[in-house]
Amino acid sequence: QEHLAESGGGSVQTGGSMRLSCTASGLQFRYDEYSMGWFRQAPGRQREGVAAIDKDGDTAYPASVKGRFTISRDNAKNMLYLQMNSLIPEDTAMYYCAADPALKATHSAVPFFGFSGQGTQVTVSS
């Protein structure tokens, strides 16, 4: 069964940095055939795609995080990462790793990817 597991969340002060990791296992296809991404959801708010990366390594971000967040993947290890810098309280949310073998890797599509992990909490205090 396809499975994604996030790690690396926690609490940080405004201006701090955090790196999230995601491990993929039980995949139906080769990992490098999947579009991958991260989305977040805060209480009372809709899911928001924050980063996407396609199988060729091309990336996409919304304006809210562009220049602060960096997504990367290690196809040899079935790993996905999200480096978050200059964090602000508005970044506080549950962060999820997501994957899809067919959808294009745009940040707006990430919340609709075929499957996602259980999430990891990121809390930024002022």
Side-chain angles (χ1 to χ4, degrees):
Q1 186 172 357
E2 296 178 312
H3 182 70
L4 299 172
E6 303 91 342
S7 61
S11 297
V12 67
Q13 291 189 325
T14 296
S17 297
M18 189 175 291
R19 187 192 196 208
L20 305 183
S21 299
C22 172
T23 304
S25 60
L27 299 178
Q28 182 176 2
F29 307 105
R30 284 199 331 268
Y31 177 72
D32 62 6
E33 296 182 70
Y34 287 80
S35 293
M36 300 295 297
W38 293 91
F39 68 89
R40 65 188 179 188
Q41 188 166 26
R45 302 191 66 176
Q46 289 187 338
R47 293 181 173 186
E48 177 191 16
V50 296
I53 186 168
D54 68 13
K55 57 186 179 181
D56 297 319
D58 292 330
T59 59
Y61 308 91
S64 58
V65 307
K66 197 168 187 178
R68 301 189 298 121
F69 289 13
T70 302
I71 188 172
S72 61
R73 64 191 297 166
D74 184 336
N75 291 334
K77 297 181 179 179
N78 286 15
M79 293 291 295
L80 183 73
Y81 305 99
L82 184 68
Q83 177 66 43
M84 304 184 291
N85 299 328
S86 303
L87 285 162
I88 58 178
E90 290 76 13
D91 294 321
T92 295
M94 187 74 81
Y95 282 71
Y96 300 85
C97 169
D100 197 286
L103 291 179
K104 185 176 171 61
T106 64
H107 62 81
S108 58
V110 174
F112 304 100
F113 277 8
F115 59 103
S116 58
Q118 294 298 306
T120 185
Q121 178 67 38
V122 172
T123 302
V124 185
S125 58
S126 57

